[in-house]
Amino acid sequence: VPDGERFHETRIPVRFHEVDSYGVVWHGHYASWLEAGRNDLAAAFGAGIVDMQPHGYLLPVVSMEIRYKRPALLGDVVVVATRLRAPRGAWLTFDYRVARGSDGTLLATARTRQVVLNRDRDLLVTLPSVLRDAVARIRAFHRGA
Amino acid sequence: VPDGERFHETRIPVRFHEVDSYGVVWHGHYASWLEAGRNDLAAAFGAGIVDMQPHGYLLPVVSMEIRYKRPALLGDVVVVATRLRAPRGAWLTFDYRVARGSDGTLLATARTRQVVLNRDRDLLVTLPSVLRDAVARIRAFHRGA
Amino acid sequence: VPDGERFHETRIPVRFHEVDSYGVVWHGHYASWLEAGRNDLAAAFGAGIVDMQPHGYLLPVVSMEIRYKRPALLGDVVVVATRLRAPRGAWLTFDYRVARGSDGTLLATARTRQVVLNRDRDLLVTLPSVLRDAVARIRAFHRGA
Amino acid sequence: VPDGERFHETRIPVRFHEVDSYGVVWHGHYASWLEAGRNDLAAAFGAGIVDMQPHGYLLPVVSMEIRYKRPALLGDVVVVATRLRAPRGAWLTFDYRVARGSDGTLLATARTRQVVLNRDRDLLVTLPSVLRDAVARIRAFHRGA
């Protein structure tokens, strides 16, 4: 669903052990690719997991949806294109397109949703300021600002 | 969404390495639990992956949706309850409920969808007879027959 | 190297995603099987990871050696036979034999070594009493007592 | 054991899910890093897994030894330094040093051994020419030629 927004791209070489006995990357491994794309985007804007640790916030994934279009193969470098949607409350929703790096073939699309917990594992209903600021910078990037 | 159908249950002990630095099972590992539940159900009705190999059919996953409710923890044995929906064409759709074995707490719900490819990796539009028969037996089990 | 000691056995079904594009279980996955065998043995004697958590001890693996004899295959249930060697200082050394459950074929042998750290991540030079007692019980089991 | 040979280096960012509940990268994941280092080295000299596929050779790992020195942490980029030893018969032995990229801290050393099987899964006793040539080029690189 292209809507003109700019996605952040992360290149990931397929590893041998990710390929299953069908000769294609096992579908479950995409979860780690999405996470790599998401964390790479966040880190580029100062809100990576390591940046968040001193603040004590946890961002557990509460849903994940993946639609597989074409298989990833041994030798592929995949490109995970990631976009953070405009936040609603304290929910963070990311969209993804996973493509083969060599020819741009779309391999999968995905969406994940996270909530924010504080140090006591209470669910927050609004984003804390450190995250709100990072989200604003990331959203500006997506809009091409 | 309980609808009275009987699910097939598979018990899986949490492994140490599945627990992440948040102290809970990493969300991506649920894909392997769903697959274990699905394959265990299929194998119980003579349609496991090993049973299918001589026939040459491949059943790639084309979509996966997981909703996470509560975390799985070190020491938990999870119970994956699996149900194959009534097939439409050659699509196979499975529903899942993942619960903590000790107290039945619901940890996640999920759905996966697979298509059937033949040996030449052509997409089938109707189920081959060996699969159709297994599906009929599995569906009879779910209905409590 | 059989020496008459009794090993503890843990049964583990091979999962689909553990099988690589060569059609055999990827060699790296054995690390999780060894750990499952080790933790299952420890838990059987009240010294599992969950039992140790209140005491604050960490037992990082400092070496792992695996010799692969025959491949594990889709459909196999492997049996991990585990033995804790008599401890020297605060080192814990485990030996393993991984076999195919259906016919007993030896698939791999392995050895891992762990040290014990306290809550402050200091290296201990003697086993704390809670571990020493568990080790004594486990060693008595191995000797057939 | 430095001996003056030049190692090939591969940079690998730690992924969130590789970090366990102790807050360090789980020891078993190093197997995939070693493999990435080994395959990256081989591919750089035209003998990667994809290059070998048309020839039908399989190179199963028959032993792996890892010694863990210091933990890898979230946020680390690790550098896997890989060296292929001079071959004996058809055995391929690789040495590894895994270090933290930011400060060069040595995290682990390792060694793996592989044999070569042909398409019929027969064990070869001498290297086939395609591999012998690649090995010669890789060894020249290590010697600094």
Side-chain angles (χ1 to χ4, degrees), chain A residues 4-16:
Chain A
E5 291 207 336
R6 176 168 52 168
F7 281 55
H8 176 82
E9 298 196 346
T10 304
R11 296 176 70 82
I12 301 176
V14 167
R15 295 190 188 163
F16 175 76

PDB file of all heavy atoms in Angstrom, chain A residues 4-16:
ATOM      1  N   GLY A   4       3.406   7.114  -0.498  1.00  0.00           N
ATOM      2  CA  GLY A   4       4.337   8.209  -0.693  1.00  0.00           C
ATOM      3  C   GLY A   4       5.309   8.422   0.445  1.00  0.00           C
ATOM      4  O   GLY A   4       6.225   9.220   0.330  1.00  0.00           O
ATOM      5  N   GLU A   5       5.129   7.722   1.547  1.00  0.00           N
ATOM      6  CA  GLU A   5       6.059   7.920   2.650  1.00  0.00           C
ATOM      7  C   GLU A   5       7.380   7.209   2.377  1.00  0.00           C
ATOM      8  O   GLU A   5       7.422   6.141   1.766  1.00  0.00           O
ATOM      9  CB  GLU A   5       5.436   7.448   3.971  1.00  0.00           C
ATOM     10  CG  GLU A   5       4.298   8.364   4.403  1.00  0.00           C
ATOM     11  CD  GLU A   5       4.097   8.357   5.917  1.00  0.00           C
ATOM     12  OE1 GLU A   5       4.483   7.384   6.564  1.00  0.00           O
ATOM     13  OE2 GLU A   5       3.537   9.347   6.428  1.00  0.00           O
ATOM     14  N   ARG A   6       8.442   7.815   2.909  1.00  0.00           N
ATOM     15  CA  ARG A   6       9.786   7.265   2.756  1.00  0.00           C
ATOM     16  C   ARG A   6      10.029   6.231   3.852  1.00  0.00           C
ATOM     17  O   ARG A   6       9.824   6.520   5.019  1.00  0.00           O
ATOM     18  CB  ARG A   6      10.792   8.404   2.876  1.00  0.00           C
ATOM     19  CG  ARG A   6      12.225   7.970   2.823  1.00  0.00           C
ATOM     20  CD  ARG A   6      13.163   9.154   2.644  1.00  0.00           C
ATOM     21  NE  ARG A   6      12.931  10.217   3.615  1.00  0.00           N
ATOM     22  CZ  ARG A   6      13.767  11.254   3.814  1.00  0.00           C
ATOM     23  NH1 ARG A   6      14.876  11.364   3.104  1.00  0.00           N
ATOM     24  NH2 ARG A   6      13.489  12.181   4.692  1.00  0.00           N
ATOM     25  N   PHE A   7      10.468   5.033   3.479  1.00  0.00           N
ATOM     26  CA  PHE A   7      10.769   3.975   4.447  1.00  0.00           C
ATOM     27  C   PHE A   7      12.263   3.979   4.749  1.00  0.00           C
ATOM     28  O   PHE A   7      13.073   4.439   3.947  1.00  0.00           O
ATOM     29  CB  PHE A   7      10.358   2.603   3.892  1.00  0.00           C
ATOM     30  CG  PHE A   7       8.875   2.310   3.999  1.00  0.00           C
ATOM     31  CD1 PHE A   7       7.921   3.177   3.461  1.00  0.00           C
ATOM     32  CD2 PHE A   7       8.421   1.157   4.627  1.00  0.00           C
ATOM     33  CE1 PHE A   7       6.553   2.904   3.552  1.00  0.00           C
ATOM     34  CE2 PHE A   7       7.068   0.863   4.725  1.00  0.00           C
ATOM     35  CZ  PHE A   7       6.130   1.736   4.194  1.00  0.00           C
ATOM     36  N   HIS A   8      12.616   3.474   5.905  1.00  0.00           N
ATOM     37  CA  HIS A   8      14.020   3.287   6.294  1.00  0.00           C
ATOM     38  C   HIS A   8      14.445   1.889   5.859  1.00  0.00           C
ATOM     39  O   HIS A   8      13.692   0.936   6.056  1.00  0.00           O
ATOM     40  CB  HIS A   8      14.144   3.429   7.815  1.00  0.00           C
ATOM     41  CG  HIS A   8      15.519   3.162   8.337  1.00  0.00           C
ATOM     42  ND1 HIS A   8      16.513   4.110   8.329  1.00  0.00           N
ATOM     43  CD2 HIS A   8      16.068   2.057   8.895  1.00  0.00           C
ATOM     44  CE1 HIS A   8      17.613   3.613   8.860  1.00  0.00           C
ATOM     45  NE2 HIS A   8      17.370   2.368   9.211  1.00  0.00           N
ATOM     46  N   GLU A   9      15.638   1.738   5.293  1.00  0.00           N
ATOM     47  CA  GLU A   9      16.043   0.438   4.753  1.00  0.00           C
ATOM     48  C   GLU A   9      17.217  -0.178   5.510  1.00  0.00           C
ATOM     49  O   GLU A   9      18.180   0.509   5.838  1.00  0.00           O
ATOM     50  CB  GLU A   9      16.413   0.585   3.277  1.00  0.00           C
ATOM     51  CG  GLU A   9      15.227   1.054   2.440  1.00  0.00           C
ATOM     52  CD  GLU A   9      15.420   0.855   0.948  1.00  0.00           C
ATOM     53  OE1 GLU A   9      16.576   0.603   0.524  1.00  0.00           O
ATOM     54  OE2 GLU A   9      14.421   0.946   0.215  1.00  0.00           O
ATOM     55  N   THR A  10      17.106  -1.467   5.749  1.00  0.00           N
ATOM     56  CA  THR A  10      18.139  -2.242   6.445  1.00  0.00           C
ATOM     57  C   THR A  10      18.457  -3.469   5.608  1.00  0.00           C
ATOM     58  O   THR A  10      17.548  -4.215   5.236  1.00  0.00           O
ATOM     59  CB  THR A  10      17.620  -2.699   7.833  1.00  0.00           C
ATOM     60  OG1 THR A  10      17.197  -1.546   8.565  1.00  0.00           O
ATOM     61  CG2 THR A  10      18.694  -3.434   8.621  1.00  0.00           C
ATOM     62  N   ARG A  11      19.737  -3.665   5.310  1.00  0.00           N
ATOM     63  CA  ARG A  11      20.143  -4.812   4.483  1.00  0.00           C
ATOM     64  C   ARG A  11      20.557  -5.980   5.388  1.00  0.00           C
ATOM     65  O   ARG A  11      21.342  -5.799   6.314  1.00  0.00           O
ATOM     66  CB  ARG A  11      21.313  -4.437   3.565  1.00  0.00           C
ATOM     67  CG  ARG A  11      20.944  -3.373   2.539  1.00  0.00           C
ATOM     68  CD  ARG A  11      22.148  -2.963   1.708  1.00  0.00           C
ATOM     69  NE  ARG A  11      22.582  -4.016   0.807  1.00  0.00           N
ATOM     70  CZ  ARG A  11      22.026  -4.269  -0.372  1.00  0.00           C
ATOM     71  NH1 ARG A  11      21.000  -3.548  -0.788  1.00  0.00           N
ATOM     72  NH2 ARG A  11      22.482  -5.247  -1.128  1.00  0.00           N
ATOM     73  N   ILE A  12      20.063  -7.162   5.089  1.00  0.00           N
ATOM     74  CA  ILE A  12      20.334  -8.341   5.917  1.00  0.00           C
ATOM     75  C   ILE A  12      20.682  -9.521   5.012  1.00  0.00           C
ATOM     76  O   ILE A  12      19.846  -9.969   4.234  1.00  0.00           O
ATOM     77  CB  ILE A  12      19.095  -8.699   6.776  1.00  0.00           C
ATOM     78  CG1 ILE A  12      18.717  -7.508   7.672  1.00  0.00           C
ATOM     79  CG2 ILE A  12      19.343  -9.949   7.592  1.00  0.00           C
ATOM     80  CD1 ILE A  12      17.460  -7.729   8.488  1.00  0.00           C
ATOM     81  N   PRO A  13      21.907 -10.031   5.110  1.00  0.00           N
ATOM     82  CA  PRO A  13      22.242 -11.225   4.314  1.00  0.00           C
ATOM     83  C   PRO A  13      21.549 -12.453   4.889  1.00  0.00           C
ATOM     84  O   PRO A  13      21.521 -12.638   6.105  1.00  0.00           O
ATOM     85  CB  PRO A  13      23.770 -11.363   4.474  1.00  0.00           C
ATOM     86  CG  PRO A  13      24.229 -10.136   5.211  1.00  0.00           C
ATOM     87  CD  PRO A  13      23.046  -9.558   5.913  1.00  0.00           C
ATOM     88  N   VAL A  14      20.975 -13.275   4.024  1.00  0.00           N
ATOM     89  CA  VAL A  14      20.392 -14.542   4.474  1.00  0.00           C
ATOM     90  C   VAL A  14      21.499 -15.432   5.030  1.00  0.00           C
ATOM     91  O   VAL A  14      22.577 -15.528   4.449  1.00  0.00           O
ATOM     92  CB  VAL A  14      19.683 -15.252   3.300  1.00  0.00           C
ATOM     93  CG1 VAL A  14      19.351 -16.705   3.639  1.00  0.00           C
ATOM     94  CG2 VAL A  14      18.410 -14.497   2.937  1.00  0.00           C
ATOM     95  N   ARG A  15      21.239 -16.055   6.191  1.00  0.00           N
ATOM     96  CA  ARG A  15      22.213 -16.992   6.745  1.00  0.00           C
ATOM     97  C   ARG A  15      21.819 -18.427   6.378  1.00  0.00           C
ATOM     98  O   ARG A  15      20.637 -18.756   6.274  1.00  0.00           O
ATOM     99  CB  ARG A  15      22.273 -16.856   8.268  1.00  0.00           C
ATOM    100  CG  ARG A  15      22.791 -15.502   8.698  1.00  0.00           C
ATOM    101  CD  ARG A  15      23.074 -15.491  10.186  1.00  0.00           C
ATOM    102  NE  ARG A  15      23.383 -14.135  10.633  1.00  0.00           N
ATOM    103  CZ  ARG A  15      23.356 -13.752  11.904  1.00  0.00           C
ATOM    104  NH1 ARG A  15      23.031 -14.629  12.853  1.00  0.00           N
ATOM    105  NH2 ARG A  15      23.639 -12.523  12.241  1.00  0.00           N
ATOM    106  N   PHE A  16      22.836 -19.262   6.233  1.00  0.00           N
ATOM    107  CA  PHE A  16      22.616 -20.648   5.811  1.00  0.00           C
ATOM    108  C   PHE A  16      21.546 -21.343   6.652  1.00  0.00           C
ATOM    109  O   PHE A  16      20.660 -22.028   6.132  1.00  0.00           O
ATOM    110  CB  PHE A  16      23.928 -21.439   5.892  1.00  0.00           C
ATOM    111  CG  PHE A  16      23.755 -22.897   5.594  1.00  0.00           C
ATOM    112  CD1 PHE A  16      23.578 -23.338   4.290  1.00  0.00           C
ATOM    113  CD2 PHE A  16      23.735 -23.845   6.607  1.00  0.00           C
ATOM    114  CE1 PHE A  16      23.404 -24.691   4.010  1.00  0.00           C
ATOM    115  CE2 PHE A  16      23.557 -25.187   6.338  1.00  0.00           C
ATOM    116  CZ  PHE A  16      23.395 -25.612   5.034  1.00  0.00           C
TER     117      PHE A  16
END
